[in-house]
Each structure stands twice: as structure tokens, then as C-alpha cells.
Amino acid sequence: MGFASQWATQGVRPRMHLAAALLTASLLAGCATGPGAAPSPNAPQLFMNARGLKQWDHPEAFGPVPKEMLTTGRQYCATLNNGGKRYTPTGYHPHARSVEGYPFEDGGFYCTLE
């Protein structure tokens, strides 16, 4: 099942398909650091690494996931679950940016393995 189908069946807004796909790619790239104590004034942005995968430029720029965003974060991170691996939201930034530099409408989540 593709991302669009997953989002449609999970009831997550369609405009977030791209955010989920980009988030997936960033996690597969293996970021070494994680979220900080609060969102940084400088928002994290996705970029293409040397292997051609998208990843966050500054994972430490994410802050904790706000309580009111936890359900949404769990839905986003669940799209990464496969082969017995489960992902959970451990960071959120309200102004996380796409590869093109545009902020995601609902911010971005940093997901890690449980």
C-alpha cells in the first residue's frame, strides 16, 4: 500500500503525504542526533544526502512533541512501521521545512524506533 493509500485509510489530511514521504526518507538516512529540549529558532530542513536520500539537516532543532500533537505524530510515524519495526514521534518542530525550503503546514515530526 502506498503512502497516499495509507493516509487515506488512516484519515490523515492528504496534504501531509509529502511530509510523511520526506520524513520516511530522512529516517532511512540514519540521522545521528535527535531532538532537543525545545524547538530551535532555526527550523530543521530536509536535504538530499550523498546517497540520494532525504534527511533532516539539524535533528537537534526539533523540540518535544506537544501533547495536542501526539496523536497526529503517532499517525505520521506509524507509516514507517515495517518488518516488526515500530516508530514513535520523539520530536516536533512547528516550522520544519521541505527540501525546497517551504515550511510544512502542520510542522514536522522526528520519528525514532521504539
Side-chain angles (χ1 to χ4, degrees), residues 63-81:
V65 179
K67 191 185 315 185
E68 66 272 11
M69 297 297 291
L70 192 55
T71 299
T72 303
R74 286 180 179 148
Q75 289 174 327
Y76 294 152
C77 294
T79 65
L80 305 174
N81 296 347

Side-chain angles (χ1 to χ4, degrees), residues 4-5 7 14 23 28-29 42 48 53-54 56 68-71 79 94-95 103 107-110 113:
S5 298
W7 286 113
L23 178 61
L28 295 176
N42 297 319
M48 299 297 291
L53 300 173
K54 294 174 183 155
W56 294 110
E68 66 272 11
M69 297 297 291
L70 192 55
T71 299
T79 65
H95 307 293
F109 292 93
Y110 187 83
L113 279 171

Side-chain angles (χ1 to χ4, degrees), residues 10 23 25 34 40-41 44 46 48 53 56 58 67-68 72 74-75 78 82 86 93 96 100 104-105:
Q10 293 177 359
L23 178 61
S40 169
L46 289 168
M48 299 297 291
L53 300 173
W56 294 110
H58 299 291
K67 191 185 315 185
E68 66 272 11
T72 303
R74 286 180 179 148
Q75 289 174 327
N82 67 61
R86 295 179 46 91
H93 198 288
E100 296 81 17
F104 291 113
E105 187 173 329

